[in-house]
Amino acid sequence: MMNVRMLVDVVVVASVSSALSLAPGVLARRSGQVRAAGRRVLSPTAALALVTGLVYVNQVLFTVYVLRVHDGDPSFVARYLPAGWFDLASDSPALRHLAGLFPAPGLLAPTVLRVQALLELPFVLLAFATVVRWLDAGLYRRIARSALLPLASVSYTAVFCLVEWDLRNPYTVDDLVLRAVSAVLAPVLVALCAARDRRTTRTPASVPGLLTFIGSLGALGVLVLVVYDTALLYNLGRLPERLPLALAAAGALLGLRRAASRLQGERARQGLTLTFLRYFLCYWLCLFFVPALAVRYGVLFGTPQLAACAGLATAATACALAARDVLDEARKTADGRDGRSAGRRSPGFLLVRGLTCAVLTGTGAAWLAARLTPRSYYEVTLLSATAAFLVTTVAACGLADVWSAHRCGHRVRTT
């Protein structure tokens, strides 16, 4: 009989295989005509904020339940789960006062793991949808209308259920049923949000545009990690310590999104490497959408080497697709110059040279960031290293494009 590790590996392989098969077709589709918006649209960002609020409401009610029914001792459930869970805010005067006023605390029993099982999938899907919409609203709608969305729901739910079974406890059967219900309802929520979304904006292929997107991604990543640490692991007692970081990330995110809205009309000339980088981010997000959670949990509950290879496969495919398209655009631009580009370096050479320098510089920055990041959750180190890599790479790509424009004059069309 296969164990949980083998089953997680199966989900990793199946998720990557389906993504590599279907994502190129989704990327090749045109966004189509976008009609004017009618009634107000619920963006994935707003839906994510709503789900996050429900997660924290559940934490408050869970604390009330433990205080009133179990005298503030969470060991009745904590003994079934690893260390690092159930650091409750049971000493909070406000929560103790609320617990004293609550009329029927026994009705709050579902707050023990069950509500989290229902909300975790929409939380993850909406976070991913938010990032894609920031980068390219058209791509967000195409993914939401494709088979990638239900496949991602199935893949994420399969991994969640396998982890639940590996950590099985008296609540596991209820959790599995609720996760199955969520697997049906969550993609419907995302699809409904996307169906009425009329936004046409996308991040421009420029240093300010891409840095704003990466900064937004980093700020959202911090907020997601805070939610996981303080709420999804039932550690509401850690919230006062994490609150300054969360507020700083939220403030930075608001500022960056405002800056992003001002950059939407930017008409900067498109350089080879920055255009490649924007294509790559779009393609990689589309390719990584389905296997994202399987790869993440594959590191801990599956075979780490397989998870790493799966992530690299999506990145390599995105790189190949992006190079194909940016070089095709560069050739079209060169053909439109009636041979005036004769004698200049080929776009392929310039792209490889610029990307090599950028990737080497970014890798050095990522290594340094990983070494300097305090050890806690491995996702914190990963987020820090990834942010350092992307920021440094964008800056290096911008310099490479300036150098190429000065020496050779290669540009690509804005698409």
Side-chain angles (χ1 to χ4, degrees):
M1 182 177 179
M2 289 194 295
N3 58 23
V4 169
R5 177 178 291 272
M6 293 175 63
L7 290 171
V8 170
D9 289 343
V10 169
V11 176
V12 170
V13 173
S15 299
V16 171
S17 300
S18 60
L20 294 178
S21 174
L22 296 174
V26 175
L27 291 165
R29 295 176 194 165
R30 294 188 177 275
S31 297
Q33 190 69 25
V34 178
R35 293 173 294 176
R39 290 174 293 177
R40 189 170 182 83
V41 175
L42 180 66
S43 70
T45 309
L48 177 62
L50 176 61
V51 171
T52 302
L54 292 175
V55 169
Y56 277 103
V57 168
N58 181 67
Q59 289 304 298
V60 170
L61 297 178
F62 171 77
T63 305
V64 170
Y65 174 76
V66 174
L67 286 171
R68 287 286 298 277
V69 178
H70 294 277
D71 298 322
D73 182 8
S75 61
F76 71 98
V77 61
R79 64 175 178 265
Y80 298 109
L81 295 164
W85 291 56
F86 301 105
D87 183 0
L88 304 187
S90 52
D91 293 332
S92 167
L95 289 179
R96 285 188 168 276
H97 180 68
L98 176 62
L101 296 176
F102 203 87
L107 297 178
L108 299 178
T111 62
V112 184
L113 300 181
R114 270 70 63 86
V115 173
Q116 172 190 303
L118 192 64
L119 295 178
E120 192 168 13
L121 178 63
F123 177 78
V124 175
L125 285 177
L126 288 167
F128 207 109
T130 294
V131 171
V132 175
R133 187 172 181 260
W134 285 342
L135 185 60
D136 191 316
L139 178 61
Y140 156 65
R141 284 189 295 274
R142 295 202 301 276
I143 290 176
R145 289 197 299 261
S146 73
L148 293 178
L149 179 56
L151 280 173
S153 179
V154 171
S155 173
Y156 295 5
T157 301
V159 174
F160 281 142
C161 289
L162 288 171
V163 174
E164 287 268 11
W165 188 252
D166 195 49
L167 303 174
R168 51 191 174 272
N169 55 69
Y171 307 95
T172 295
V173 174
D174 291 350
D175 289 349
L176 295 180
V177 172
L178 288 170
R179 289 194 184 278
V181 171
S182 184
V184 175
L185 297 180
V188 173
L189 169 64
V190 176
L192 287 175
C193 289
R196 299 185 58 224
D197 194 296
R198 301 294 180 259
R199 190 174 182 181
T200 59
T201 55
R202 62 180 184 174
T203 298
S206 65
V207 172
L210 291 173
L211 287 181
T212 300
F213 169 75
I214 291 167
S216 301
L217 178 61
L220 180 64
V222 170
L223 292 173
V224 167
L225 287 175
V226 169
V227 173
Y228 261 96
D229 185 33
T230 62
L232 292 174
L233 297 184
Y234 291 83
N235 293 324
L236 198 59
R238 299 179 185 176
L239 186 57
E241 180 185 350
R242 305 288 191 265
L243 193 57
L245 175 62
L247 291 175
L253 183 58
L254 289 174
L256 287 164
R257 297 322 303 160
R258 178 170 294 185
S261 66
R262 294 176 179 173
L263 290 170
Q264 290 301 330
E266 183 184 33
R267 303 296 298 175
R269 291 183 294 174
Q270 306 291 290
L272 281 172
T273 50
L274 286 174
T275 303
F276 168 87
L277 191 55
R278 187 192 175 281
Y279 276 137
F280 170 79
L281 289 171
C282 286
Y283 295 174
W284 181 75
L285 285 174
C286 187
L287 286 159
F288 197 59
F289 180 45
V290 174
L293 209 68
V295 170
R296 183 257 188 231
Y297 278 103
V299 174
L300 299 175
F301 293 89
T303 304
Q305 295 85 351
L306 178 64
C309 289
L312 288 173
T314 61
T317 304
C319 185
L321 293 173
R324 179 200 66 187
D325 289 349
V326 75
L327 291 177
D328 183 57
E329 292 294 331
R331 292 188 190 99
K332 290 178 181 178
T333 302
D335 291 342
R337 290 177 177 151
D338 300 323
R340 283 175 289 172
S341 59
R344 295 175 179 171
R345 296 282 193 181
S346 70
F349 172 82
L350 294 175
L351 180 62
V352 170
R353 184 181 65 181
L355 288 177
T356 300
C357 295
V359 168
L360 290 175
T361 306
T363 301
W367 177 84
L368 183 61
R371 290 292 301 271
L372 296 177
T373 301
R375 292 292 181 266
S376 55
Y377 299 113
Y378 92 91
E379 291 92 343
V380 175
T381 302
L382 181 63
L383 178 63
S384 174
T386 301
F389 175 83
L390 290 174
V391 169
T392 307
T393 299
V394 168
C397 285
L399 290 174
D401 283 344
V402 170
W403 174 258
S404 296
H406 176 70
R407 296 293 300 272
C408 307
H410 275 289
R411 301 287 185 188
V412 298
R413 294 175 179 175
T414 303
T415 57

